[in-house]
């Protein structure tokens, strides 16, 4: 299969800084589109993967799965897009398309594992996939999303992971009027969780370790804010929430948050710290509580979320950076020092 070279930013080893490199992209096949990447969000998963914190990184690694751009080429069999259209790509670029989950349109739960946008296995080139910290990407149109025209494009990028990863559990567990929903960890994912849960009509309770975010949370849409480091505030909130989305990227005590659930309440983990998170039996047993997990969302759900955001004028709060500042952005991400998502202006890679 023919390939061509594009510029990218990536890393060769867990301890190495990200730097400019060349990667190859496949020539568009019948069903592929080529996207000129305009913006790419910086997800904490990029950092976990670049630094091999999940222990499966293939190097070189080019992160980035919050991609928006413009279509530059479309294969002969492409029906949904044409050159010039805006388009977006999230965390997956393919799946087996045959298993029970794929057949029912839950390709994120493909029984063979969905093919991730980076650090997945490219079916065509038989090597790891490379993500959006690059000039261009080539993706099967079935895994490409349409972008609402009325939204600021740079602030749309984070919807492709942070948006869908919080939207999907909120929908699955029926967030809406009459539900008290807690969002833990107000980074990229968490701040989208607050905005989306509020727009769905839920009563939203923010749980943060950062006093400065506590002050800002109501602007994002929170009805109530709890500083989770304050024992008295946590105690007062015991048994009050129906559902919690836990978006924390680092080790933390989930038992402290499980205490806040009512009988039959669920805590859905989307944050994925490196090490196990111990759950005490009596955090669950006395009130039939559920400790669950959720990963991204299907392509159909992602489109539904993007259309909803277009309709309700919802985007991420972002800080635009140049690709050359990515290593500094990772350091700041580790300190929780971002309000609330870094987005790379990919034109900086072209200069
Ligand atoms: P992020 O922007 O770095 O936000 C993480 C937030 O967690 C921080 O802003 C902070 O919020 C909180 N936090 C950090 N350290 C903490 C600690 N020790 N104790 C309590 N809270 C702490 O990260 P993100 O991009 O939103 O990603 C969050 C996690 O979700 C990552 O692990 C990422 O890999 C994972 N993820 C999962 C999926 C999925 O499909 N399941 C998809 C995308 C990302 P406060 O300042 O408010 O406390
Ligand atoms: Zn992500
Ligand atoms: Zn499958």
């Amino acid at each position: 299969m023919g390939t061509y070279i594009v510029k990218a930013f990536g890393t060769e080893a867990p301890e190495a800084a990200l730097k400019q490199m060349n990667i190859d992209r496949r020539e568009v096949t019948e069903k592929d589109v080529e996207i000129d990447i305009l913006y790419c969000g910086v997800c904490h998963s990029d950092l976990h993967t670049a630094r091999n914190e999940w222990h499966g990184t293939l190097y070189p690694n080019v992160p980035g799965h919050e991609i928006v751009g413009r279509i530059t080429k479309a294969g002969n069999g492409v029906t949904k897009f044409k050159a010039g259209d805006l388009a977006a790509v999230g965390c997956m670029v393919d799946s087996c398309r045959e298993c029970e989950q794929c057949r029912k349109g839950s390709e994120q739960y493909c029984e063979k594992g969905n093919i991730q946008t980076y650090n997945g296995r490219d079916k065509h080139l038989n090597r790891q996939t490379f993500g959006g910290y690059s000039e261009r990407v080539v993706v099967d149109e079935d895994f490409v999303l349409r972008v609402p025209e009325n939204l600021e494009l740079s602030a749309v990028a984070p919807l492709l992971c942070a948006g869908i990863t919080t939207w999907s559990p909120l929908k699955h567990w029926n967030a809406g009027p009459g539900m008290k929903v807690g969002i833990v960890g107000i980074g990229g994912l968490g701040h989208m969780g607050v905005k989306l849960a509020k727009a769905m009509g839920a009563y939203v309770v923010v749980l943060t370790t950062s006093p400065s975010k506590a002050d800002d949370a109501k602007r994002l849409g929170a009805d109530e804010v709890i500083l989770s480091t304050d024992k008295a505030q946590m105690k007062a909130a015991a048994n009050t929430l129906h559902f919690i989305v836990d978006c924390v990227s680092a080790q933390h005590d989930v038992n402290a948050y499980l205490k806040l659930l009512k009988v039959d309440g669920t805590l859905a983990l989307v944050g994925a710290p490196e090490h196990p998170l111990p759950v005490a039996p009596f955090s669950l047993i006395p009130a039939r509580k559920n400790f669950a997990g959720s990963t991204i969302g299907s392509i159909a759900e992602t489109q539904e979320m993007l259309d909803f955001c277009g309709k309700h004028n919802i985007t991420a709060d972002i800080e635009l950076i140049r690709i050359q500042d990515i290593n500094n952005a990772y350091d700041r991400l580790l300190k929780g020092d971002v309000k609330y998502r870094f987005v790379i202006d990919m034109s900086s890679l072209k200069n």
Side-chain angles (χ1 to χ4, degrees), residues 272-328:
E274 178 175 4
H275 300 294
L277 299 170
V279 175
F282 291 105
S283 291
L284 303 175
I285 290 171
R288 201 166 51 192
K289 293 178 184 177
N290 306 288
F291 183 49
S294 180
T295 196
I296 52 174
S298 70
I299 293 296
E301 270 180 303
T302 308
Q303 192 62 62
E304 184 194 11
M305 177 272 310
L306 285 168
D307 295 346
F308 179 92
C309 288
K311 192 166 156 215
H312 295 264
N313 220 3
I314 295 172
T315 52
D317 287 24
I318 67 154
E319 181 177 334
L320 204 60
I321 61 165
R322 289 164 46 81
I323 188 76
Q324 292 79 5
D325 294 329
I326 188 68
N327 293 298
N328 180 43

Side-chain angles (χ1 to χ4, degrees), residues 95-103 107 109-113:
S95 68
C96 88
R97 304 179 188 226
E98 290 168 353
C99 74
E100 186 183 334
Q101 294 304 318
C102 283
R103 282 202 314 269
E107 32 326 279
Y109 295 116
C110 173
E111 289 164 8
K112 296 191 180 133

Side-chain angles (χ1 to χ4, degrees), residues 108-109 161-176 179 181-183 189 192-193 196-197 200 242-247 266-271 292-298 301 304-305:
Q108 78 276 32
Y109 295 116
C161 174
I164 186 57
T165 302
T166 48
W167 170 273
S168 183
L170 287 167
K171 277 278 179 184
H172 182 79
W173 277 279
N174 303 313
M179 278 261 285
V181 173
I183 307 285
L189 268 60
M192 285 313 308
L196 293 171
M200 289 174 187
H242 296 100
F243 179 57
I244 294 174
V245 188
D246 178 339
C247 308
T266 296
L267 183 149
L269 194 63
V270 293
S294 180
T295 196
I296 52 174
S298 70
E301 270 180 303
E304 184 194 11
M305 177 272 310

Side-chain angles (χ1 to χ4, degrees), residues 79 89 118 144 190 248 322 344 346:
T79 57
V89 177
Y118 59 81
V144 178
V248 176
R322 289 164 46 81
I344 308 164
M346 293 307 306

